């Protein structure tokens, strides 16, 4: 088959890109390795930046988000038992939306189906070819038969373990990485959230986060050793540990219940440069990973999609400036989110090798943040998402 754009990966980045391109009259196909049920069952983050909301609206998929999502105009930070609020609305006149990535993916699949979008699921051995030429193509195997997609461009939206990044020659690729010496043990439970807004807690026993999906679905996390195993944690042990780390008033009103999901996720920061090689673009997790502190992963994928979508529209209007500068433009914003996620992670977690000096600095960092409106505004600006 022949398409203008061949998109590898049907996660939120690939789906959103194909949806926007379709609306602009640009033809694409998505090649997704897994089944749709698998993609839709993945439980991921749930805080959307203002730019992400705008992009979902622009793609015509924002209606359910506005109806069912929760607008958060601030968030709580705590140190030991003392907390304070960062008021996004007052500081930067903006807010974020709590709406799960699983729901975003659902809405995008529904929209793609409604528009007759071309999505091949369970596509095996997806392989980009001739990406350094003007006639790239992608091969894949479906039901035992090999197929070929000829295209103008390939969008690598296939996450951190995909084939796209590996298709860029090693000599051309530069990678940057920080692996954090801990993970997040997460629990999803059908209980009312302890707080309407998120609580990020720095505690001597380790970081904790109280988050939510809806009025009766809570998401909680505690920092745990990277080599720990979720199976080592009973629900009771998890709830006890969470209670110890969050402010006392929150601990007292915490409603617990059976976990419906429990998993341990490692934390790392990673960037691959460049994000374009020949006719191949890297988008979202294929190019970068952030630790979950501050919920930048999905939002960063969406800003990449924004830049690539506009670059491709310009290309088909006869202007190649956008495709030529995509990597540079996207990376400029990526690094700022990488920095923010690193800072927020470093400030809120206890590191195994933390000296008493490091600890005082960390405590002071939170104290000056509590006292300084300027620093709070800086945090708020980054949390609601830098403009694009
Ligand atoms: N061929 C085809 N599809 C592939 C391949 C491959 N070789 N490898 C991976 N995929 C698919 C995966 O099955 C997945 O559905 O690519 C998709 C990538 O989706 P995500 O991992 O969700 O990545 P992305 O779309 O960039 O979404 C942004 O932000 O916070 C993060 O992890 C969070 O998923 C979120 C991401």
């Amino acid at each position: 088959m022949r398409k203008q754009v061949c998109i590898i990966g049907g996660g939120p980045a690939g789906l959103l890109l194909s949806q926007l391109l379709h609306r602009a009259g640009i033809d694409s196909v998505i090649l997704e390795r897994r089944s749709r049920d698998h993609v839709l069952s993945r439980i991921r983050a749930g805080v959307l930046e203002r730019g992400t909301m705008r992009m979902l609206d622009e793609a015509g998929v924002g209606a359910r988000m506005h109806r069912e999502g929760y607008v958060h105009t601030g968030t709580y930070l705590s140190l030991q038992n003392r907390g304070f609020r960062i008021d996004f609305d007052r500081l930067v006149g903006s807010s974020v939306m709590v709406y799960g990535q699983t729901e975003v993916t659902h809405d995008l699949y529904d929209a793609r189906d409604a528009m007759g979008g071309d999505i091949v699921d369970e596509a095996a051995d997806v392989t980009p070819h001739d990406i350094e030429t003007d006639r790239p193509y992608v091969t894949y195997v479906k039901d035992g038969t090999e197929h070929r997609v000829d295209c103008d461009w390939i969008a690598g939206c296939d996450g951190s373990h995909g084939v796209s990044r590996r298709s860029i020659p090693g000599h051309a690729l530069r990678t940057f990485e920080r692996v954090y010496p801990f993970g997040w043990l997460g629990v999803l439970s059908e209980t009312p959230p302890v707080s309407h807004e998120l609580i990020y807690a720095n505690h001597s026993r380790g970081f904790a986060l109280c988050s939510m999906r809806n009025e009766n679905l809570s998401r909680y996390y505690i920092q745990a050793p990277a080599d720990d195993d979720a199976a080592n944690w009973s629900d009771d042990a998890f709830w006890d540990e969470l209670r110890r780390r969050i402010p006392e008033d929150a601990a007292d009103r915490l409603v617990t219940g059976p976990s419906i999901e429990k998993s341990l996720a490692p934390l790392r920061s990673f960037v691959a440069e460049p994000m374009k090689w020949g006719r191949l673009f890297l988008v979202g997790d294929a190019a970068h990973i952030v630790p979950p502190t501050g919920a930048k992963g999905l939002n960063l994928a969406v800003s990449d999609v924004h830049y690539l979508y506009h670059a491709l529209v310009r290309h088909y209007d006869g202007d190649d400036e956008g495709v030529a500068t995509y990597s540079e433009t996207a990376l400029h914003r990526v690094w700022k989110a990488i920095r923010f996620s690193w800072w927020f992670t470093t400030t809120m977690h206890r590191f195994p090798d933390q000296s008493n000096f490091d600890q005082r600095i960390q405590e002071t960092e939170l104290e000056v943040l509590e006292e300084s409106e300027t620093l709070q505004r800086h945090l708020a600006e980054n949390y609601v998402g830098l403009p694009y």
Side-chain angles (χ1 to χ4, degrees):
M1 88 177 91
R2 157 105 211 143
K3 294 281 178 183
Q4 287 166 300
V5 183
C6 181
I7 299 173
I8 304 177
L15 289 164
L16 180 62
L17 180 64
S18 78
Q19 174 71 2
L20 289 162
L21 290 176
H22 194 148
R23 289 165 68 98
I26 300 170
D27 201 19
S28 71
V29 60
I30 293 177
L31 306 178
E32 164 59 51
R33 187 174 54 170
R34 310 303 294 253
S35 70
R36 185 175 296 201
D37 283 351
H38 177 93
V39 173
L40 287 173
S41 66
R42 288 192 293 231
I43 294 172
R44 297 265 175 90
V47 178
L48 309 183
E49 293 178 351
R50 55 185 166 174
T52 301
M53 296 185 237
R54 196 186 63 232
M55 288 288 285
L56 294 176
D57 283 336
E58 198 176 330
V61 296
R64 194 163 71 95
M65 167 190 75
H66 288 293
R67 227 172 32 242
E68 297 178 12
Y70 294 81
V71 174
H72 281 192
T73 58
T75 192
Y76 290 93
L77 267 54
S78 72
L79 176 63
Q80 296 302 93
N81 278 323
R82 261 170 36 75
F84 61 97
R85 183 170 186 263
I86 308 282
D87 187 331
F88 308 143
D89 196 21
R90 185 176 60 80
L91 292 160
V92 293
S94 195
S95 54
V96 292
M97 176 76 83
V98 170
Y99 187 66
Q101 180 177 323
T102 311
E103 306 310 319
V104 172
T105 310
H106 226 291
D107 296 344
L108 283 163
Y109 267 116
D110 286 351
R112 293 286 51 227
D113 288 345
M115 290 171 77
D118 217 341
I119 302 176
V120 181
D121 60 9
E122 298 182 271
D125 298 336
V126 175
T127 313
H129 302 269
D130 293 354
I131 57 176
E132 291 170 23
T133 73
D134 287 350
R135 299 192 186 286
Y137 65 98
V138 180
T139 53
Y140 66 96
V141 175
K142 171 81 180 171
D143 299 329
T145 308
E146 183 165 296
H147 299 264
R148 170 178 169 141
V149 183
D150 289 286
C151 54
D152 301 332
W153 304 97
I154 300 169
C157 304
D158 48 352
S160 57
H161 305 293
V163 64
S164 300
R165 192 177 66 244
R166 280 184 276 125
S167 307
I168 299 180
H171 69 83
L173 202 66
R174 207 161 162 216
T175 59
F176 304 80
E177 184 173 41
R178 158 127 337 159
V179 176
Y180 301 90
F182 40 72
W184 276 19
L185 178 66
V187 155
L188 194 65
S189 74
E190 284 168 331
T191 50
V194 66
S195 158
H196 172 64
E197 292 182 343
L198 272 57
I199 303 174
Y200 290 87
N202 178 322
H203 192 276
S204 48
R205 297 181 64 90
F207 169 77
L209 170 62
C210 304
S211 183
M212 52 97 70
R213 291 292 181 273
N214 62 45
E215 301 292 3
N216 200 41
L217 191 57
S218 300
R219 185 71 165 148
Y220 296 108
Y221 301 92
I222 55 173
Q223 173 184 347
D227 59 359
D228 206 342
D229 186 336
N232 294 338
W233 288 81
S234 68
D235 287 357
D236 283 346
F238 179 89
W239 295 124
D240 286 346
E241 190 56 35
L242 178 67
R243 267 194 219 94
R244 290 187 194 109
R245 299 184 186 188
I246 60 179
E248 238 167 69
D249 57 330
D252 288 345
R253 58 171 197 272
L254 179 72
V255 179
T256 63
S259 62
I260 55 172
E261 197 260 358
K262 193 188 287 155
S263 54
L264 184 79
L267 267 70
R268 78 185 173 116
S269 302
F270 172 86
V271 183
E273 296 183 357
M275 286 174 61
K276 173 179 179 284
W277 187 252
R279 290 274 169 153
L280 170 74
F281 301 98
L282 299 181
V283 185
D285 278 17
H288 39 73
I289 295 292
V290 286
T293 333
K296 291 292 165 230
L298 170 64
N299 293 299
L300 215 44
V302 172
S303 62
D304 290 350
V305 167
H306 163 88
Y307 294 125
L308 181 55
Y309 160 62
H310 285 285
L312 289 171
V313 168
R314 279 175 75 180
H315 165 77
Y316 288 107
D317 279 344
D319 171 5
D320 273 343
E321 171 76 13
V323 290
T325 56
Y326 166 76
S327 176
E328 196 186 319
T329 313
L331 281 168
H332 196 59
R333 189 170 188 281
V334 164
W335 272 109
K336 290 186 247 178
I338 290 279
R339 183 207 70 86
F340 176 70
S341 306
W342 160 84
W343 171 82
F344 206 15
T345 301
T346 306
T347 302
M348 297 308 292
H349 290 74
R350 295 298 164 124
F351 286 69
D353 60 350
Q354 200 161 326
S355 67
N356 61 356
F357 177 84
D358 297 336
Q359 175 140 350
R360 278 283 188 272
I361 290 291
Q362 200 186 54
E363 288 162 10
T364 308
E365 180 91 30
L366 286 167
E367 276 161 27
V368 293
L369 182 61
E370 183 174 4
E371 289 160 11
S372 162
E373 188 167 307
T374 307
L375 290 180
Q376 288 190 17
R377 181 166 293 113
H378 173 75
L379 189 154
E381 261 169 12
N382 281 274
Y383 198 95
V384 304
L386 296 174
Y388 56 89

